[in-house]
Each structure stands twice: as structure tokens, then as C-alpha cells.
Amino acid sequence: MRFAFRLTLLSILSAAFGHAEEPRNFEDHILPLLREHCANCHRPGKTRGGLDVTTMEKLEKGGSAGPSVVAGLAENSPLFRAMTHTGDEEPMPPEQDKLPPQILAAFKMWIEGGLKPN
């Protein structure tokens, strides 16, 4: 009985830790979110603040204030600070609540994971 309990407990813990979220990448996880929530104001032909979020290269280049993301450092990334309404950046989206926690978590994972392209 004690062995069965330990085996069950070990299985549960293995499942919990074995299914950690995979790192996010730009093509699969971030670009769709940017298209849905940001590209209306930050796209070719309409680059508010000089920022175009439609490609990874343009996102890394940033806008008029410089690079928008810092690989490995979400808290030092102007884009992330704007999205989380922290720091000196203008809150994004403007005049709205910040994006849902799961979206912010995806951006944080992507940035802290090293800005994987795909």
C-alpha cells in the first residue's frame, strides 16, 4: 500500500514538472498576438512612435525611442514595460487596460527565452 502511494505521488509530480510550458517563439506565439493587439497602430504605413511590429527584425530595431526588446530581460524591454503599464513608457494599448495576464506571460517567456524566431 505504501509503495503504491509513493508510486502515485511520484507519477503526479513527474507529470506536473514534466509538462512545463515550452519556450515561446516569434512566428508561432508572438506574431499572432502582435497582429491582433498591436499592428493596428504599429504596422507599415502607420508606425506610431516609429514602431513596426510586423516582423521580428523591425520589432528588435524598435521605434523612435530605440530597441523595443532586450533578449533575456523582459523588465528592461520597453515593449514589455509598455504592455505591463510599468516604467516610463506610454502604456499600451493606450487608454485601455493592459492585456490579459496569459498574453503578458507569453511575451515575458519569449523575451526571457532569448527572442527565439521560430
Side-chain angles (χ1 to χ4, degrees), residues 18-56:
H19 294 294
E21 286 196 51
E22 292 181 26
R24 300 292 187 231
N25 71 64
F26 184 78
E27 291 294 325
D28 296 331
H29 304 104
I30 301 305
L31 184 56
L33 295 173
L34 290 169
R35 284 179 179 154
E36 181 179 347
H37 299 283
C38 308
N40 190 44
C41 295
H42 300 283
R43 66 179 188 277
K46 188 178 182 184
T47 55
R48 190 170 187 192
L51 180 61
D52 181 341
V53 299
T54 59
T55 69
M56 188 164 161

PDB file of all heavy atoms in Angstrom, residues 18-56:
ATOM      1  N   GLY A  18       7.035  17.639 -15.625  1.00  0.00           N
ATOM      2  CA  GLY A  18       7.416  17.217 -16.968  1.00  0.00           C
ATOM      3  C   GLY A  18       6.704  17.962 -18.070  1.00  0.00           C
ATOM      4  O   GLY A  18       7.119  17.946 -19.212  1.00  0.00           O
ATOM      5  N   HIS A  19       5.638  18.659 -17.749  1.00  0.00           N
ATOM      6  CA  HIS A  19       4.867  19.376 -18.758  1.00  0.00           C
ATOM      7  C   HIS A  19       4.985  20.884 -18.599  1.00  0.00           C
ATOM      8  O   HIS A  19       4.023  21.609 -18.806  1.00  0.00           O
ATOM      9  CB  HIS A  19       3.388  18.958 -18.697  1.00  0.00           C
ATOM     10  CG  HIS A  19       3.166  17.537 -19.074  1.00  0.00           C
ATOM     11  ND1 HIS A  19       3.397  17.064 -20.333  1.00  0.00           N
ATOM     12  CD2 HIS A  19       2.763  16.475 -18.334  1.00  0.00           C
ATOM     13  CE1 HIS A  19       3.133  15.755 -20.360  1.00  0.00           C
ATOM     14  NE2 HIS A  19       2.748  15.385 -19.168  1.00  0.00           N
ATOM     15  N   ALA A  20       6.187  21.333 -18.255  1.00  0.00           N
ATOM     16  CA  ALA A  20       6.407  22.775 -18.167  1.00  0.00           C
ATOM     17  C   ALA A  20       6.178  23.392 -19.542  1.00  0.00           C
ATOM     18  O   ALA A  20       6.376  22.741 -20.564  1.00  0.00           O
ATOM     19  CB  ALA A  20       7.820  23.051 -17.690  1.00  0.00           C
ATOM     20  N   GLU A  21       5.760  24.623 -19.541  1.00  0.00           N
ATOM     21  CA  GLU A  21       5.469  25.273 -20.816  1.00  0.00           C
ATOM     22  C   GLU A  21       6.721  25.378 -21.667  1.00  0.00           C
ATOM     23  O   GLU A  21       7.798  25.652 -21.175  1.00  0.00           O
ATOM     24  CB  GLU A  21       4.896  26.662 -20.577  1.00  0.00           C
ATOM     25  CG  GLU A  21       3.483  26.626 -20.085  1.00  0.00           C
ATOM     26  CD  GLU A  21       2.818  27.972 -20.223  1.00  0.00           C
ATOM     27  OE1 GLU A  21       2.870  28.548 -21.320  1.00  0.00           O
ATOM     28  OE2 GLU A  21       2.248  28.414 -19.232  1.00  0.00           O
ATOM     29  N   GLU A  22       6.543  25.133 -22.957  1.00  0.00           N
ATOM     30  CA  GLU A  22       7.645  25.264 -23.892  1.00  0.00           C
ATOM     31  C   GLU A  22       7.962  26.741 -24.082  1.00  0.00           C
ATOM     32  O   GLU A  22       7.074  27.575 -23.995  1.00  0.00           O
ATOM     33  CB  GLU A  22       7.256  24.664 -25.245  1.00  0.00           C
ATOM     34  CG  GLU A  22       7.096  23.177 -25.224  1.00  0.00           C
ATOM     35  CD  GLU A  22       6.728  22.645 -26.606  1.00  0.00           C
ATOM     36  OE1 GLU A  22       7.071  23.299 -27.605  1.00  0.00           O
ATOM     37  OE2 GLU A  22       6.108  21.587 -26.663  1.00  0.00           O
ATOM     38  N   PRO A  23       9.223  27.062 -24.372  1.00  0.00           N
ATOM     39  CA  PRO A  23       9.551  28.459 -24.654  1.00  0.00           C
ATOM     40  C   PRO A  23       8.752  28.971 -25.841  1.00  0.00           C
ATOM     41  O   PRO A  23       8.422  28.222 -26.761  1.00  0.00           O
ATOM     42  CB  PRO A  23      11.039  28.415 -24.999  1.00  0.00           C
ATOM     43  CG  PRO A  23      11.525  27.126 -24.463  1.00  0.00           C
ATOM     44  CD  PRO A  23      10.361  26.198 -24.450  1.00  0.00           C
ATOM     45  N   ARG A  24       8.430  30.214 -25.811  1.00  0.00           N
ATOM     46  CA  ARG A  24       7.673  30.841 -26.887  1.00  0.00           C
ATOM     47  C   ARG A  24       8.617  31.222 -28.026  1.00  0.00           C
ATOM     48  O   ARG A  24       9.791  31.472 -27.811  1.00  0.00           O
ATOM     49  CB  ARG A  24       6.968  32.101 -26.379  1.00  0.00           C
ATOM     50  CG  ARG A  24       5.997  31.834 -25.251  1.00  0.00           C
ATOM     51  CD  ARG A  24       4.827  31.054 -25.770  1.00  0.00           C
ATOM     52  NE  ARG A  24       3.802  30.931 -24.765  1.00  0.00           N
ATOM     53  CZ  ARG A  24       3.261  29.782 -24.424  1.00  0.00           C
ATOM     54  NH1 ARG A  24       3.658  28.674 -24.966  1.00  0.00           N
ATOM     55  NH2 ARG A  24       2.302  29.733 -23.544  1.00  0.00           N
ATOM     56  N   ASN A  25       8.069  31.278 -29.243  1.00  0.00           N
ATOM     57  CA  ASN A  25       8.849  31.773 -30.376  1.00  0.00           C
ATOM     58  C   ASN A  25       8.022  32.821 -31.116  1.00  0.00           C
ATOM     59  O   ASN A  25       6.805  32.894 -30.967  1.00  0.00           O
ATOM     60  CB  ASN A  25       9.319  30.638 -31.291  1.00  0.00           C
ATOM     61  CG  ASN A  25       8.198  30.010 -32.083  1.00  0.00           C
ATOM     62  OD1 ASN A  25       7.566  30.649 -32.920  1.00  0.00           O
ATOM     63  ND2 ASN A  25       7.929  28.744 -31.814  1.00  0.00           N
ATOM     64  N   PHE A  26       8.717  33.634 -31.901  1.00  0.00           N
ATOM     65  CA  PHE A  26       8.068  34.770 -32.550  1.00  0.00           C
ATOM     66  C   PHE A  26       6.989  34.332 -33.535  1.00  0.00           C
ATOM     67  O   PHE A  26       5.849  34.804 -33.464  1.00  0.00           O
ATOM     68  CB  PHE A  26       9.121  35.640 -33.258  1.00  0.00           C
ATOM     69  CG  PHE A  26       8.534  36.869 -33.874  1.00  0.00           C
ATOM     70  CD1 PHE A  26       8.216  37.965 -33.092  1.00  0.00           C
ATOM     71  CD2 PHE A  26       8.278  36.939 -35.233  1.00  0.00           C
ATOM     72  CE1 PHE A  26       7.653  39.102 -33.649  1.00  0.00           C
ATOM     73  CE2 PHE A  26       7.714  38.070 -35.805  1.00  0.00           C
ATOM     74  CZ  PHE A  26       7.401  39.162 -35.006  1.00  0.00           C
ATOM     75  N   GLU A  27       7.327  33.459 -34.454  1.00  0.00           N
ATOM     76  CA  GLU A  27       6.395  33.080 -35.533  1.00  0.00           C
ATOM     77  C   GLU A  27       5.117  32.440 -35.015  1.00  0.00           C
ATOM     78  O   GLU A  27       4.027  32.785 -35.468  1.00  0.00           O
ATOM     79  CB  GLU A  27       7.086  32.135 -36.525  1.00  0.00           C
ATOM     80  CG  GLU A  27       8.163  32.787 -37.349  1.00  0.00           C
ATOM     81  CD  GLU A  27       7.652  33.847 -38.312  1.00  0.00           C
ATOM     82  OE1 GLU A  27       6.543  33.693 -38.861  1.00  0.00           O
ATOM     83  OE2 GLU A  27       8.364  34.845 -38.503  1.00  0.00           O
ATOM     84  N   ASP A  28       5.247  31.507 -34.084  1.00  0.00           N
ATOM     85  CA  ASP A  28       4.084  30.742 -33.632  1.00  0.00           C
ATOM     86  C   ASP A  28       3.280  31.412 -32.517  1.00  0.00           C
ATOM     87  O   ASP A  28       2.063  31.243 -32.447  1.00  0.00           O
ATOM     88  CB  ASP A  28       4.516  29.359 -33.143  1.00  0.00           C
ATOM     89  CG  ASP A  28       5.120  28.520 -34.240  1.00  0.00           C
ATOM     90  OD1 ASP A  28       4.749  28.702 -35.416  1.00  0.00           O
ATOM     91  OD2 ASP A  28       5.985  27.665 -33.939  1.00  0.00           O
ATOM     92  N   HIS A  29       3.955  32.133 -31.640  1.00  0.00           N
ATOM     93  CA  HIS A  29       3.281  32.624 -30.447  1.00  0.00           C
ATOM     94  C   HIS A  29       3.144  34.140 -30.361  1.00  0.00           C
ATOM     95  O   HIS A  29       2.115  34.635 -29.917  1.00  0.00           O
ATOM     96  CB  HIS A  29       4.019  32.134 -29.194  1.00  0.00           C
ATOM     97  CG  HIS A  29       4.159  30.654 -29.139  1.00  0.00           C
ATOM     98  ND1 HIS A  29       5.331  30.002 -29.419  1.00  0.00           N
ATOM     99  CD2 HIS A  29       3.262  29.683 -28.878  1.00  0.00           C
ATOM    100  CE1 HIS A  29       5.160  28.696 -29.313  1.00  0.00           C
ATOM    101  NE2 HIS A  29       3.912  28.474 -28.996  1.00  0.00           N
ATOM    102  N   ILE A  30       4.182  34.850 -30.751  1.00  0.00           N
ATOM    103  CA  ILE A  30       4.201  36.295 -30.539  1.00  0.00           C
ATOM    104  C   ILE A  30       3.587  37.069 -31.699  1.00  0.00           C
ATOM    105  O   ILE A  30       2.770  37.964 -31.481  1.00  0.00           O
ATOM    106  CB  ILE A  30       5.641  36.768 -30.252  1.00  0.00           C
ATOM    107  CG1 ILE A  30       6.195  36.060 -29.003  1.00  0.00           C
ATOM    108  CG2 ILE A  30       5.700  38.282 -30.109  1.00  0.00           C
ATOM    109  CD1 ILE A  30       5.341  36.193 -27.747  1.00  0.00           C
ATOM    110  N   LEU A  31       3.955  36.735 -32.922  1.00  0.00           N
ATOM    111  CA  LEU A  31       3.428  37.457 -34.077  1.00  0.00           C
ATOM    112  C   LEU A  31       1.893  37.457 -34.126  1.00  0.00           C
ATOM    113  O   LEU A  31       1.290  38.514 -34.349  1.00  0.00           O
ATOM    114  CB  LEU A  31       4.026  36.923 -35.378  1.00  0.00           C
ATOM    115  CG  LEU A  31       3.623  37.661 -36.653  1.00  0.00           C
ATOM    116  CD1 LEU A  31       3.941  39.150 -36.563  1.00  0.00           C
ATOM    117  CD2 LEU A  31       4.290  37.034 -37.864  1.00  0.00           C
ATOM    118  N   PRO A  32       1.227  36.333 -33.887  1.00  0.00           N
ATOM    119  CA  PRO A  32      -0.248  36.386 -33.891  1.00  0.00           C
ATOM    120  C   PRO A  32      -0.815  37.351 -32.838  1.00  0.00           C
ATOM    121  O   PRO A  32      -1.801  38.036 -33.093  1.00  0.00           O
ATOM    122  CB  PRO A  32      -0.671  34.940 -33.594  1.00  0.00           C
ATOM    123  CG  PRO A  32       0.492  34.116 -34.031  1.00  0.00           C
ATOM    124  CD  PRO A  32       1.708  34.946 -33.741  1.00  0.00           C
ATOM    125  N   LEU A  33      -0.171  37.425 -31.676  1.00  0.00           N
ATOM    126  CA  LEU A  33      -0.627  38.358 -30.637  1.00  0.00           C
ATOM    127  C   LEU A  33      -0.385  39.802 -31.049  1.00  0.00           C
ATOM    128  O   LEU A  33      -1.228  40.673 -30.833  1.00  0.00           O
ATOM    129  CB  LEU A  33       0.094  38.057 -29.315  1.00  0.00           C
ATOM    130  CG  LEU A  33      -0.207  36.705 -28.691  1.00  0.00           C
ATOM    131  CD1 LEU A  33       0.696  36.458 -27.490  1.00  0.00           C
ATOM    132  CD2 LEU A  33      -1.670  36.581 -28.315  1.00  0.00           C
ATOM    133  N   LEU A  34       0.764  40.047 -31.662  1.00  0.00           N
ATOM    134  CA  LEU A  34       1.061  41.399 -32.140  1.00  0.00           C
ATOM    135  C   LEU A  34       0.080  41.821 -33.227  1.00  0.00           C
ATOM    136  O   LEU A  34      -0.383  42.962 -33.237  1.00  0.00           O
ATOM    137  CB  LEU A  34       2.497  41.473 -32.664  1.00  0.00           C
ATOM    138  CG  LEU A  34       3.594  41.369 -31.612  1.00  0.00           C
ATOM    139  CD1 LEU A  34       4.948  41.176 -32.280  1.00  0.00           C
ATOM    140  CD2 LEU A  34       3.603  42.597 -30.716  1.00  0.00           C
ATOM    141  N   ARG A  35      -0.224  40.911 -34.119  1.00  0.00           N
ATOM    142  CA  ARG A  35      -1.190  41.230 -35.184  1.00  0.00           C
ATOM    143  C   ARG A  35      -2.551  41.580 -34.598  1.00  0.00           C
ATOM    144  O   ARG A  35      -3.212  42.520 -35.043  1.00  0.00           O
ATOM    145  CB  ARG A  35      -1.323  40.056 -36.150  1.00  0.00           C
ATOM    146  CG  ARG A  35      -0.155  39.925 -37.088  1.00  0.00           C
ATOM    147  CD  ARG A  35      -0.325  38.736 -38.000  1.00  0.00           C
ATOM    148  NE  ARG A  35       0.784  38.628 -38.928  1.00  0.00           N
ATOM    149  CZ  ARG A  35       1.170  37.495 -39.486  1.00  0.00           C
ATOM    150  NH1 ARG A  35       0.527  36.356 -39.225  1.00  0.00           N
ATOM    151  NH2 ARG A  35       2.195  37.489 -40.309  1.00  0.00           N
ATOM    152  N   GLU A  36      -2.963  40.829 -33.603  1.00  0.00           N
ATOM    153  CA  GLU A  36      -4.290  41.037 -33.014  1.00  0.00           C
ATOM    154  C   GLU A  36      -4.364  42.293 -32.146  1.00  0.00           C
ATOM    155  O   GLU A  36      -5.360  43.019 -32.177  1.00  0.00           O
ATOM    156  CB  GLU A  36      -4.684  39.825 -32.168  1.00  0.00           C
ATOM    157  CG  GLU A  36      -6.050  39.942 -31.548  1.00  0.00           C
ATOM    158  CD  GLU A  36      -6.449  38.727 -30.729  1.00  0.00           C
ATOM    159  OE1 GLU A  36      -5.783  37.678 -30.815  1.00  0.00           O
ATOM    160  OE2 GLU A  36      -7.452  38.841 -30.016  1.00  0.00           O
ATOM    161  N   HIS A  37      -3.303  42.556 -31.377  1.00  0.00           N
ATOM    162  CA  HIS A  37      -3.393  43.612 -30.368  1.00  0.00           C
ATOM    163  C   HIS A  37      -2.582  44.885 -30.661  1.00  0.00           C
ATOM    164  O   HIS A  37      -2.830  45.900 -30.022  1.00  0.00           O
ATOM    165  CB  HIS A  37      -2.949  43.069 -29.003  1.00  0.00           C
ATOM    166  CG  HIS A  37      -3.784  41.941 -28.521  1.00  0.00           C
ATOM    167  ND1 HIS A  37      -5.042  42.120 -27.986  1.00  0.00           N
ATOM    168  CD2 HIS A  37      -3.561  40.608 -28.509  1.00  0.00           C
ATOM    169  CE1 HIS A  37      -5.555  40.942 -27.662  1.00  0.00           C
ATOM    170  NE2 HIS A  37      -4.682  40.016 -27.968  1.00  0.00           N
ATOM    171  N   CYS A  38      -1.630  44.819 -31.595  1.00  0.00           N
ATOM    172  CA  CYS A  38      -0.712  45.953 -31.754  1.00  0.00           C
ATOM    173  C   CYS A  38      -0.585  46.488 -33.178  1.00  0.00           C
ATOM    174  O   CYS A  38      -0.293  47.667 -33.370  1.00  0.00           O
ATOM    175  CB  CYS A  38       0.688  45.554 -31.275  1.00  0.00           C
ATOM    176  SG  CYS A  38       0.729  44.833 -29.623  1.00  0.00           S
ATOM    177  N   ALA A  39      -0.749  45.628 -34.166  1.00  0.00           N
ATOM    178  CA  ALA A  39      -0.442  46.005 -35.549  1.00  0.00           C
ATOM    179  C   ALA A  39      -1.401  47.051 -36.120  1.00  0.00           C
ATOM    180  O   ALA A  39      -1.087  47.679 -37.125  1.00  0.00           O
ATOM    181  CB  ALA A  39      -0.403  44.771 -36.453  1.00  0.00           C
ATOM    182  N   ASN A  40      -2.526  47.264 -35.499  1.00  0.00           N
ATOM    183  CA  ASN A  40      -3.432  48.296 -36.000  1.00  0.00           C
ATOM    184  C   ASN A  40      -2.761  49.669 -35.953  1.00  0.00           C
ATOM    185  O   ASN A  40      -2.990  50.504 -36.825  1.00  0.00           O
ATOM    186  CB  ASN A  40      -4.733  48.304 -35.193  1.00  0.00           C
ATOM    187  CG  ASN A  40      -5.780  49.191 -35.831  1.00  0.00           C
ATOM    188  OD1 ASN A  40      -5.974  49.166 -37.035  1.00  0.00           O
ATOM    189  ND2 ASN A  40      -6.451  49.985 -35.008  1.00  0.00           N
ATOM    190  N   CYS A  41      -1.915  49.886 -34.955  1.00  0.00           N
ATOM    191  CA  CYS A  41      -1.218  51.173 -34.817  1.00  0.00           C
ATOM    192  C   CYS A  41       0.271  51.086 -35.147  1.00  0.00           C
ATOM    193  O   CYS A  41       0.923  52.116 -35.284  1.00  0.00           O
ATOM    194  CB  CYS A  41      -1.354  51.692 -33.386  1.00  0.00           C
ATOM    195  SG  CYS A  41      -3.049  52.098 -32.922  1.00  0.00           S
ATOM    196  N   HIS A  42       0.817  49.896 -35.214  1.00  0.00           N
ATOM    197  CA  HIS A  42       2.264  49.716 -35.396  1.00  0.00           C
ATOM    198  C   HIS A  42       2.535  48.762 -36.559  1.00  0.00           C
ATOM    199  O   HIS A  42       2.939  47.620 -36.365  1.00  0.00           O
ATOM    200  CB  HIS A  42       2.898  49.179 -34.104  1.00  0.00           C
ATOM    201  CG  HIS A  42       2.713  50.076 -32.923  1.00  0.00           C
ATOM    202  ND1 HIS A  42       3.456  51.218 -32.732  1.00  0.00           N
ATOM    203  CD2 HIS A  42       1.851  49.997 -31.872  1.00  0.00           C
ATOM    204  CE1 HIS A  42       3.072  51.798 -31.608  1.00  0.00           C
ATOM    205  NE2 HIS A  42       2.089  51.087 -31.066  1.00  0.00           N
ATOM    206  N   ARG A  43       2.316  49.267 -37.775  1.00  0.00           N
ATOM    207  CA  ARG A  43       2.488  48.453 -38.987  1.00  0.00           C
ATOM    208  C   ARG A  43       3.062  49.335 -40.092  1.00  0.00           C
ATOM    209  O   ARG A  43       3.094  50.559 -39.940  1.00  0.00           O
ATOM    210  CB  ARG A  43       1.157  47.857 -39.417  1.00  0.00           C
ATOM    211  CG  ARG A  43       0.144  48.895 -39.877  1.00  0.00           C
ATOM    212  CD  ARG A  43      -1.174  48.258 -40.322  1.00  0.00           C
ATOM    213  NE  ARG A  43      -2.069  49.219 -40.925  1.00  0.00           N
ATOM    214  CZ  ARG A  43      -2.876  50.032 -40.265  1.00  0.00           C
ATOM    215  NH1 ARG A  43      -2.909  49.996 -38.956  1.00  0.00           N
ATOM    216  NH2 ARG A  43      -3.654  50.878 -40.910  1.00  0.00           N
ATOM    217  N   PRO A  44       3.481  48.735 -41.203  1.00  0.00           N
ATOM    218  CA  PRO A  44       3.980  49.561 -42.304  1.00  0.00           C
ATOM    219  C   PRO A  44       2.917  50.578 -42.728  1.00  0.00           C
ATOM    220  O   PRO A  44       1.739  50.257 -42.818  1.00  0.00           O
ATOM    221  CB  PRO A  44       4.232  48.550 -43.425  1.00  0.00           C
ATOM    222  CG  PRO A  44       4.460  47.262 -42.716  1.00  0.00           C
ATOM    223  CD  PRO A  44       3.565  47.311 -41.503  1.00  0.00           C
ATOM    224  N   GLY A  45       3.359  51.791 -42.925  1.00  0.00           N
ATOM    225  CA  GLY A  45       2.430  52.840 -43.311  1.00  0.00           C
ATOM    226  C   GLY A  45       1.772  53.526 -42.129  1.00  0.00           C
ATOM    227  O   GLY A  45       1.194  54.597 -42.257  1.00  0.00           O
ATOM    228  N   LYS A  46       1.832  52.917 -40.966  1.00  0.00           N
ATOM    229  CA  LYS A  46       1.258  53.509 -39.750  1.00  0.00           C
ATOM    230  C   LYS A  46       2.112  53.035 -38.575  1.00  0.00           C
ATOM    231  O   LYS A  46       1.754  52.106 -37.866  1.00  0.00           O
ATOM    232  CB  LYS A  46      -0.197  53.077 -39.560  1.00  0.00           C
ATOM    233  CG  LYS A  46      -0.878  53.810 -38.421  1.00  0.00           C
ATOM    234  CD  LYS A  46      -2.336  53.411 -38.290  1.00  0.00           C
ATOM    235  CE  LYS A  46      -2.994  54.200 -37.172  1.00  0.00           C
ATOM    236  NZ  LYS A  46      -4.357  53.781 -36.938  1.00  0.00           N
ATOM    237  N   THR A  47       3.245  53.657 -38.421  1.00  0.00           N
ATOM    238  CA  THR A  47       4.180  53.237 -37.377  1.00  0.00           C
ATOM    239  C   THR A  47       4.166  54.248 -36.238  1.00  0.00           C
ATOM    240  O   THR A  47       5.056  55.086 -36.118  1.00  0.00           O
ATOM    241  CB  THR A  47       5.612  53.082 -37.933  1.00  0.00           C
ATOM    242  OG1 THR A  47       5.982  54.305 -38.549  1.00  0.00           O
ATOM    243  CG2 THR A  47       5.708  51.934 -38.899  1.00  0.00           C
ATOM    244  N   ARG A  48       3.170  54.163 -35.421  1.00  0.00           N
ATOM    245  CA  ARG A  48       3.055  55.062 -34.269  1.00  0.00           C
ATOM    246  C   ARG A  48       4.326  54.943 -33.429  1.00  0.00           C
ATOM    247  O   ARG A  48       4.740  53.846 -33.072  1.00  0.00           O
ATOM    248  CB  ARG A  48       1.826  54.690 -33.458  1.00  0.00           C
ATOM    249  CG  ARG A  48       1.482  55.691 -32.401  1.00  0.00           C
ATOM    250  CD  ARG A  48       0.135  55.366 -31.824  1.00  0.00           C
ATOM    251  NE  ARG A  48      -0.273  56.427 -30.926  1.00  0.00           N
ATOM    252  CZ  ARG A  48      -1.282  56.317 -30.115  1.00  0.00           C
ATOM    253  NH1 ARG A  48      -2.000  55.225 -30.089  1.00  0.00           N
ATOM    254  NH2 ARG A  48      -1.591  57.311 -29.325  1.00  0.00           N
ATOM    255  N   GLY A  49       4.948  56.064 -33.152  1.00  0.00           N
ATOM    256  CA  GLY A  49       6.201  56.055 -32.404  1.00  0.00           C
ATOM    257  C   GLY A  49       7.350  55.457 -33.197  1.00  0.00           C
ATOM    258  O   GLY A  49       8.379  55.115 -32.632  1.00  0.00           O
ATOM    259  N   GLY A  50       7.153  55.298 -34.509  1.00  0.00           N
ATOM    260  CA  GLY A  50       8.186  54.713 -35.358  1.00  0.00           C
ATOM    261  C   GLY A  50       8.307  53.212 -35.227  1.00  0.00           C
ATOM    262  O   GLY A  50       9.207  52.602 -35.794  1.00  0.00           O
ATOM    263  N   LEU A  51       7.406  52.576 -34.499  1.00  0.00           N
ATOM    264  CA  LEU A  51       7.496  51.131 -34.244  1.00  0.00           C
ATOM    265  C   LEU A  51       6.604  50.336 -35.187  1.00  0.00           C
ATOM    266  O   LEU A  51       5.414  50.597 -35.309  1.00  0.00           O
ATOM    267  CB  LEU A  51       7.098  50.824 -32.795  1.00  0.00           C
ATOM    268  CG  LEU A  51       7.145  49.366 -32.365  1.00  0.00           C
ATOM    269  CD1 LEU A  51       8.564  48.801 -32.478  1.00  0.00           C
ATOM    270  CD2 LEU A  51       6.624  49.215 -30.944  1.00  0.00           C
ATOM    271  N   ASP A  52       7.212  49.353 -35.835  1.00  0.00           N
ATOM    272  CA  ASP A  52       6.509  48.401 -36.697  1.00  0.00           C
ATOM    273  C   ASP A  52       6.691  47.025 -36.063  1.00  0.00           C
ATOM    274  O   ASP A  52       7.820  46.581 -35.846  1.00  0.00           O
ATOM    275  CB  ASP A  52       7.123  48.442 -38.103  1.00  0.00           C
ATOM    276  CG  ASP A  52       6.444  47.511 -39.094  1.00  0.00           C
ATOM    277  OD1 ASP A  52       5.737  46.571 -38.664  1.00  0.00           O
ATOM    278  OD2 ASP A  52       6.640  47.713 -40.300  1.00  0.00           O
ATOM    279  N   VAL A  53       5.595  46.352 -35.740  1.00  0.00           N
ATOM    280  CA  VAL A  53       5.672  45.059 -35.050  1.00  0.00           C
ATOM    281  C   VAL A  53       5.384  43.874 -35.974  1.00  0.00           C
ATOM    282  O   VAL A  53       5.150  42.770 -35.496  1.00  0.00           O
ATOM    283  CB  VAL A  53       4.714  45.016 -33.833  1.00  0.00           C
ATOM    284  CG1 VAL A  53       5.075  46.086 -32.822  1.00  0.00           C
ATOM    285  CG2 VAL A  53       3.261  45.154 -34.270  1.00  0.00           C
ATOM    286  N   THR A  54       5.426  44.099 -37.268  1.00  0.00           N
ATOM    287  CA  THR A  54       5.006  43.049 -38.201  1.00  0.00           C
ATOM    288  C   THR A  54       6.097  42.040 -38.538  1.00  0.00           C
ATOM    289  O   THR A  54       5.792  41.009 -39.138  1.00  0.00           O
ATOM    290  CB  THR A  54       4.445  43.662 -39.497  1.00  0.00           C
ATOM    291  OG1 THR A  54       5.458  44.482 -40.102  1.00  0.00           O
ATOM    292  CG2 THR A  54       3.199  44.484 -39.209  1.00  0.00           C
ATOM    293  N   THR A  55       7.344  42.325 -38.191  1.00  0.00           N
ATOM    294  CA  THR A  55       8.413  41.336 -38.362  1.00  0.00           C
ATOM    295  C   THR A  55       9.301  41.382 -37.124  1.00  0.00           C
ATOM    296  O   THR A  55       9.367  42.403 -36.420  1.00  0.00           O
ATOM    297  CB  THR A  55       9.297  41.603 -39.602  1.00  0.00           C
ATOM    298  OG1 THR A  55      10.074  42.785 -39.378  1.00  0.00           O
ATOM    299  CG2 THR A  55       8.464  41.729 -40.874  1.00  0.00           C
ATOM    300  N   MET A  56      10.018  40.307 -36.888  1.00  0.00           N
ATOM    301  CA  MET A  56      10.903  40.268 -35.736  1.00  0.00           C
ATOM    302  C   MET A  56      12.030  41.288 -35.882  1.00  0.00           C
ATOM    303  O   MET A  56      12.405  41.948 -34.912  1.00  0.00           O
ATOM    304  CB  MET A  56      11.468  38.864 -35.544  1.00  0.00           C
ATOM    305  CG  MET A  56      12.241  38.734 -34.264  1.00  0.00           C
ATOM    306  SD  MET A  56      12.490  37.033 -33.840  1.00  0.00           S
ATOM    307  CE  MET A  56      13.841  37.227 -32.707  1.00  0.00           C
TER     308      MET A  56
END
